[in-house]
């Protein structure tokens, strides 16, 4: 997991990952987005590939890179769960039940807003539940 966090440590590599979220890009197209030299971008791509965050495939004389989003999501999610287990409990507390229906009379609109921040007493109870 440390290779993933090492890869995420540099802002250029984080930007490359963001650029790849819309689909694969050729190495030259990625390099053109930065002021850094081609070899520098190539090293950044190598770090991301070694961490398993991107894959490459050859298409003729081009190298195309793609994001491996599930690897990033699972790794960061596992880390956060291990250091912040109460977040798992808080997420389950915040989830609306499927049985609850919007209240209000005729013409009332259901709220699509996210739940407000939990009160300190609820947070303490959630933390106590994980202990």
């Amino acid at each position: 997991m440390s290779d993933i966090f090492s890869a995420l440590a540099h802002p250029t590599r984080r930007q490359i990952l963001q650029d790849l979220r819309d689909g694969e890009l050729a190495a030259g197209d990625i390099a053109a987005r930065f002021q850094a030299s081609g070899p520098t971008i190539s090293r950044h791509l190598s770090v991301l590939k070694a961490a398993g965050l991107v894959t490459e495939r050859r298409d003729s004389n081009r190298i195309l890179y793609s994001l491996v989003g599930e690897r990033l999501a699972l790794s960061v999610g596992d880390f956060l769960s291990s250091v912040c287990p109460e977040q798992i409990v808080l997420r389950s507390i915040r989830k609306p039940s499927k049985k609850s229906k919007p209240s209000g009379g005729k013409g009332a609109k259901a709220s699509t807003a996210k739940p407000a921040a939990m009160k300190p007493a609820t947070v303490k109870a959630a933390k106590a539940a994980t202990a």
Side-chain angles (χ1 to χ4, degrees), residues 52-70:
L53 297 175
V54 299
T55 59
E56 70 177 28
R57 73 176 181 90
R58 294 201 179 267
D59 180 31
S60 219
N61 61 345
R62 299 181 337 154
I63 300 174
L64 300 169
Y65 288 89
S66 298
L67 179 66
V68 183
E70 65 273 4

Side-chain angles (χ1 to χ4, degrees), residues 3-4 6-17 20 27 30-31 34-54 56 65:
D3 56 339
I4 289 174
S6 294
L8 294 174
H10 199 281
T12 299
R13 292 192 286 267
R14 291 192 303 269
Q15 184 61 52
I16 291 170
L17 293 174
L20 290 173
I30 294 169
F34 298 93
Q35 291 183 352
S37 68
T40 298
I41 298 302
S42 180
R43 281 192 296 276
H44 285 303
L45 288 165
S46 294
V47 170
L48 291 170
K49 184 180 172 195
L53 297 175
V54 299
E56 70 177 28
Y65 288 89

Side-chain angles (χ1 to χ4, degrees), residues 85-108:
E86 67 271 6
Q87 293 302 316
I88 295 169
V89 174
L90 293 176
R91 269 186 258 136
S92 65
I93 290 172
R94 289 181 185 163
K95 285 183 184 176
S97 75
K98 292 182 180 180
K99 295 179 184 177
S100 66
K101 294 182 181 178
S103 61
K106 189 175 182 181

